């Protein structure tokens, strides 16, 4: 290997290592930007809320998981008319809440 | 997820173009009462046959009539990117975080958080109201079937509040002669038997609280009517004494709140009353539907 070539490659290698380090730091910073909550009041640590483990329940092992697609539904709406998931999806994301109700 | 809390923060969902759909097994008439009470602006859907509940796999294993509490958020293409099934109920802030994170703008720091809004709390609001209500009922209303009533009592004694609420709902439907007040009285009588049968001192404290409260109100009215008379000073003095007595009774009840399980009694009474209120609404709605429309 010629000396001249080495001189040229050394700064390049340094730059590459520096870039690697920077990207690790950035990844570390991204790691901090994950929304974390405790799954239950007895949980020891807050965990990433975007994972299936976070929202899983022993009482509902077959509950739909993250990444699965929800089938559209249309149900009667309190106050008249219907509520349709596909209509709501046309406007963007949809939060679907199952609550106990009063019966 | 408490729907009132969600409503409080609904503007943050709207700003992100996120719709909210709340589903329950309630009949629509029952949901209407809640919409009114909490001032809800998002859609409440009715899923009485649990078709959607089953499709999501969130049936309640203990009470097949109900869903487990669950929140899902799907993207515009229908793919789930957040879920929370059972366990601790998420608050709005958490859902907003999940949405922002999904869109790659988490955390959004410059957003104004809506201030807390006072929500109408259902009756009874506090332990004192609950105790007074329970003390005021000394027997089961005649319009209610005592056999069905004792069945609910034993279900609740064995454990599940939810199961007993379902049974209570059945009772409110079958006791067609019982009016709203009768059903509320039934709820109070049930709570009294469940919680205070073996605690006569709690009932005694409740009766005393009721008497002293009535006395204070009476004196306040008297004072109002005698603002410019020469009895005013004497009334002020008597009122101060009556208020002191009332505080003593309140303090005694507060000190015993844990021992007498008052919080739980209050929640139980409220739950039964809500079922009673909802059933009356449903009955009214059924009556108002013309026959040829059924």
């Amino acid at each position: 290997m010629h000396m001249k070539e080495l001189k040229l490659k050394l700064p390049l290698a340094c730059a590459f290592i520096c870039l690697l380090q920077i990207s690790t730091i950035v990844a570390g910073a991204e790691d901090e930007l994950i929304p974390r909550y405790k799954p239950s009041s007895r949980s020891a640590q807050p965990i990433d809320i975007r994972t299936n483990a976070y929202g899983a329940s022993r009482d509902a092992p077959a509950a739909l998981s993250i990444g699965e697609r929800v089938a559209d539904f249309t149900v009667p709406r309190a106050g008249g008319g219907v509520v349709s998931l596909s209509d709501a999806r046309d406007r963007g994301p949809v939060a679907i809440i199952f609550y106990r109700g009063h019966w | 997820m408490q729907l009132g809390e969600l409503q409080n923060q609904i503007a943050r969902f709207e700003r992100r173009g996120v719709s909210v759909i709340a589903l329950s097994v309630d009949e629509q008439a029952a949901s209407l009462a809640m919409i009114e009470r909490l001032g809800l602006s998002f859609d409440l859907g009715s899923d009485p046959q649990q078709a959607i509940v089953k499709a999501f796999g969130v049936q309640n294993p203990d009470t097949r009539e109900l869903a487990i509490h669950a929140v899902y958020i799907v993207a515009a293409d229908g793919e789930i990117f957040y879920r929370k099934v059972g366990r601790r109920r998420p608050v709005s802030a958490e859902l907003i975080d999940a949405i922002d994170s999904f869109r790659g703008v988490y955390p959004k720091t410059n957003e104004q958080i809506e201030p807390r809004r006072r929500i109408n709390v259902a009756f009874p609001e506090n332990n004192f109201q609950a105790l007074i209500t329970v003390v005021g009922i000394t027997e089961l209303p005649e319009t209610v079937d005592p056999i069905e009533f004792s069945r609910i009592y034993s279900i609740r004694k064995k454990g599940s509040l939810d199961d007993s609420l379902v049974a209570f709902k059945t009772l409110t439907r079958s006791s067609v002669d019982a009016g709203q007040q009768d059903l509320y009285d039934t709820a109070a009588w049930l709570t009294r038997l469940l919680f205070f049968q073996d605690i006569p001192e709690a009932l005694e404290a409740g009766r005393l609280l009721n008497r002293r409260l009535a006395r204070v109100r009476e004196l306040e009215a008297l004072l109002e009517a005698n603002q410019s008379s020469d009895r005013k000073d004497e009334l002020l003095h008597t009122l101060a004494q009556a208020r002191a007595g009332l505080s003593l009774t309140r303090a005694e009840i507060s000190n015993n709140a844990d021992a007498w399980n008052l919080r739980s009694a209050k929640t139980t009474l409220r739950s039964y009353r809500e079922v009673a209120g909802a059933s009356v609404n449903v009955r009214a709605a059924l009556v108002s539907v013309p026959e040829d429309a059924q």
Side-chain angles (χ1 to χ4, degrees):
Chain A
M1 192 184 284
H2 294 294
M3 206 54 193
K4 208 176 179 183
E5 212 177 318
L6 190 67
K7 269 183 188 167
L8 193 73
K9 278 185 177 169
L10 202 63
L12 269 176
C14 280
F16 184 66
I17 288 166
C18 281
L19 264 177
L20 262 182
Q21 274 174 342
I22 289 170
S23 63
T24 332
I25 291 164
V26 170
E30 265 174 8
D31 202 44
E32 291 305 304
L33 297 183
I34 289 171
R36 295 174 201 272
Y37 286 82
K38 286 186 178 181
S40 83
S41 44
R42 273 167 290 169
S43 308
Q45 289 293 327
I47 65 172
D48 187 348
I49 63 172
R50 305 166 307 174
T51 58
N52 267 318
Y54 172 74
S57 166
R58 240 173 297 164
D59 291 335
L64 290 184
S65 307
I66 290 169
E68 286 189 86
R69 222 167 269 263
V70 171
D72 281 325
F73 57 79
T74 302
V75 293
R77 176 181 169 276
V82 293
V83 186
S84 147
L85 176 59
S86 61
D87 283 356
R89 286 201 294 106
D90 285 345
R91 299 188 291 271
V94 186
I96 303 161
I97 295 152
F98 295 91
Y99 70 100
R100 192 192 75 182
H102 305 138
W103 316 290
Chain B
M1 167 69 49
Q2 304 291 325
L3 297 184
E5 192 269 335
L6 179 68
Q7 177 63 40
N8 197 16
Q9 302 296 330
I10 199 70
R12 304 178 74 195
F13 289 84
E14 285 166 356
R15 252 175 254 149
R16 289 162 173 79
V18 177
S19 314
V20 174
I21 299 176
L23 294 170
S24 81
V25 297
D26 278 350
E27 285 89 350
Q28 296 174 55
S31 298
L32 279 177
M34 191 169 64
I35 290 176
E36 199 174 318
R37 183 162 65 82
L38 299 176
L40 303 181
S41 62
F42 50 86
D43 282 341
L44 259 58
S46 175
D47 183 27
Q49 304 306 317
Q50 296 207 66
I52 321 298
V53 170
K54 284 172 190 157
F56 276 77
V58 292
Q59 296 124 287
N60 191 324
D62 299 323
T63 307
R64 304 304 295 188
E65 255 193 66
L66 300 174
I68 287 184
H69 189 278
V71 181
Y72 279 87
I73 311 180
V74 302
D77 64 359
E79 193 175 305
I80 296 164
F81 66 82
Y82 169 92
R83 70 164 192 182
K84 183 90 211 287
V85 182
R87 299 204 281 183
R88 183 148 93 175
R89 299 176 180 201
V91 292
S92 299
E94 177 181 335
L95 306 188
I96 294 294
D97 285 353
I99 292 160
D100 287 348
S101 170
F102 174 71
R103 294 191 152 163
V105 293
Y106 174 83
K108 214 172 173 173
T109 49
N110 56 354
E111 187 181 17
Q112 193 197 334
I113 312 280
E114 309 299 326
R116 270 177 168 270
R117 181 179 63 116
R118 182 159 167 77
I119 293 165
N120 288 336
V121 180
F123 186 90
E125 282 187 33
N126 54 44
N127 294 345
F128 302 119
Q129 282 183 352
L131 195 55
I132 287 177
T133 310
V134 161
V135 163
I137 304 302
T138 51
E139 60 184 6
L140 184 68
E142 282 176 12
T143 46
V144 172
D145 180 4
I147 297 168
E148 225 178 314
F149 178 84
S150 54
R151 194 173 74 86
I152 302 170
Y153 174 79
S154 55
I155 290 173
R156 180 66 179 88
K157 266 287 175 198
K158 271 181 222 142
S160 168
L161 173 63
D162 276 357
D163 283 346
S164 76
L165 283 168
V166 172
F168 188 71
K169 175 185 151 195
T170 313
L171 176 136
T172 58
R173 296 287 165 79
S174 61
S175 304
V176 285
D177 294 334
Q180 181 141 31
Q181 193 55 52
D182 281 355
L183 295 177
Y184 284 157
D185 288 352
T186 308
W189 181 235
L190 187 53
T191 309
R192 176 169 172 162
L193 291 183
L194 286 167
F195 286 90
F196 303 111
Q197 218 169 2
D198 305 321
I199 319 178
E201 59 272 29
L203 293 173
E204 188 44 54
R207 280 189 282 267
L208 190 59
L209 177 68
N210 203 11
R211 276 203 303 275
R212 292 193 150 162
L213 200 59
R215 179 75 180 135
V216 165
R217 284 186 184 148
E218 183 194 353
L219 287 167
E220 280 171 347
L222 263 176
L223 187 65
E224 188 69 28
N226 288 284
Q227 275 299 335
S228 49
S229 94
D230 47 359
R231 282 188 64 201
K232 191 183 168 188
D233 284 348
E234 179 202 336
L235 277 171
L236 270 174
H237 181 69
T238 319
L239 180 60
Q241 280 183 326
R243 282 191 175 141
L246 180 62
S247 320
L248 274 180
T249 309
R250 279 174 175 268
E252 191 210 343
I253 293 170
S254 298
N255 291 339
N256 283 296
D258 286 343
W260 296 345
N261 215 356
L262 288 183
R263 245 177 97 89
S264 184
K266 174 191 69 186
T267 317
T268 300
L269 176 60
R270 191 188 290 170
S271 304
Y272 287 124
R273 280 181 63 97
E274 283 177 351
V275 173
S279 298
V280 170
N281 286 334
V282 170
R283 270 201 233 150
L286 290 177
V287 169
S288 65
V289 175
E291 269 185 25
D292 53 340
Q294 283 180 349

